[in-house]
Amino acid sequence: MKRIILGLLVLSFNASIAQSLAYIETDKIVEKMPEYELATNEIDSLVNVWRTEVDKKFATVEDLYQEYVKAELLLTNEIKKEKQEEIIEAEKVAKEYREQKFGREGELSKIEESKLKPIREKILETAAKVGKDKNYDYVFEKTTESGWIYTNPDHDLTGAVLSELGL
């Protein structure tokens, strides 16, 4: 769908020769930004801590289950039920913790938003400024997902954006 829309946009741009296009490669820009590296390192560090905690919680569930299986024949029905509920509760806690950290509304999403969004906005604002200064009508973002087949390097503003950012 993106490709169809992009194709239609390019065709409509070609119909009007007075309009000029440029693009930036955000990936190349962020890899040279110290604040991006700092933010991603901080995020990765938190992810590693949280992943370890999630693994511990699920290991506890597994341990409880293995203990239950080993002792099952010796347990009364009442104790069996208690142990089963304990396992279910431990699994529920582990799943809730994982969702709290890594879910759609989890802490990871919020931290990525707070750390990476300002960097992205800075890049886009700078790209808009450079595009305007160089009299381009449109500046697009070239990514591996964007489906660009060919781009003329003469219209690549990545270097200019890096310069404007002082990188």
Side-chain angles (χ1 to χ4, degrees), residues 89-108:
E89 182 60 29
E91 185 176 26
K92 179 182 171 190
V93 167
K95 287 179 179 179
E96 286 173 353
Y97 183 81
R98 182 178 59 197
E99 183 66 23
Q100 175 191 4
K101 299 300 181 188
F102 298 106
R104 278 191 171 172
E105 302 294 321
E107 285 185 54
L108 179 59

Side-chain angles (χ1 to χ4, degrees), residues 19-157:
Q19 296 177 338
S20 58
L21 303 172
Y23 66 93
I24 62 166
E25 295 185 62
T26 309
D27 294 343
K28 289 182 179 179
I29 295 170
V30 295
E31 72 184 21
K32 296 186 189 270
M33 297 180 78
E35 62 263 40
Y36 180 79
E37 186 177 351
L38 218 62
T40 56
N41 287 344
E42 187 177 329
I43 291 168
D44 289 346
S45 177
L46 284 171
V47 165
N48 289 335
V49 169
W50 293 338
R51 206 169 267 138
T52 300
E53 288 298 315
V54 167
D55 290 346
K56 283 180 187 175
K57 290 180 184 302
F58 279 103
T60 300
V61 172
E62 183 62 26
D63 290 346
L64 288 171
Y65 177 73
Q66 291 304 324
E67 286 176 26
Y68 171 78
V69 169
K70 287 177 186 174
E72 183 177 16
L73 297 174
L74 304 174
L75 301 175
T76 65
N77 285 339
E78 186 178 302
I79 294 176
K80 280 183 188 179
K81 187 168 178 76
E82 287 175 16
K83 295 287 185 184
Q84 290 169 353
E85 288 174 3
E86 182 183 4
I87 294 167
I88 291 169
E89 182 60 29
E91 185 176 26
K92 179 182 171 190
V93 167
K95 287 179 179 179
E96 286 173 353
Y97 183 81
R98 182 178 59 197
E99 183 66 23
Q100 175 191 4
K101 299 300 181 188
F102 298 106
R104 278 191 171 172
E105 302 294 321
E107 285 185 54
L108 179 59
S109 294
K110 292 173 185 170
I111 289 173
E112 285 178 334
E113 176 82 10
S114 71
K115 301 270 183 204
L116 300 178
K117 186 178 179 184
I119 295 169
R120 180 160 174 75
E121 286 175 353
K122 181 178 178 181
I123 293 169
L124 297 179
E125 288 170 7
T126 305
K129 179 186 181 313
V130 169
K132 187 175 181 179
D133 291 348
K134 293 186 176 277
N135 293 316
Y136 282 99
D137 295 310
Y138 301 94
V139 177
F140 292 95
E141 180 178 25
K142 179 182 175 186
T143 64
T144 54
E145 299 89 33
S146 62
W148 293 84
I149 296 169
Y150 169 76
T151 53
N152 185 337
D154 294 341
H155 301 289
D156 185 357
L157 296 180

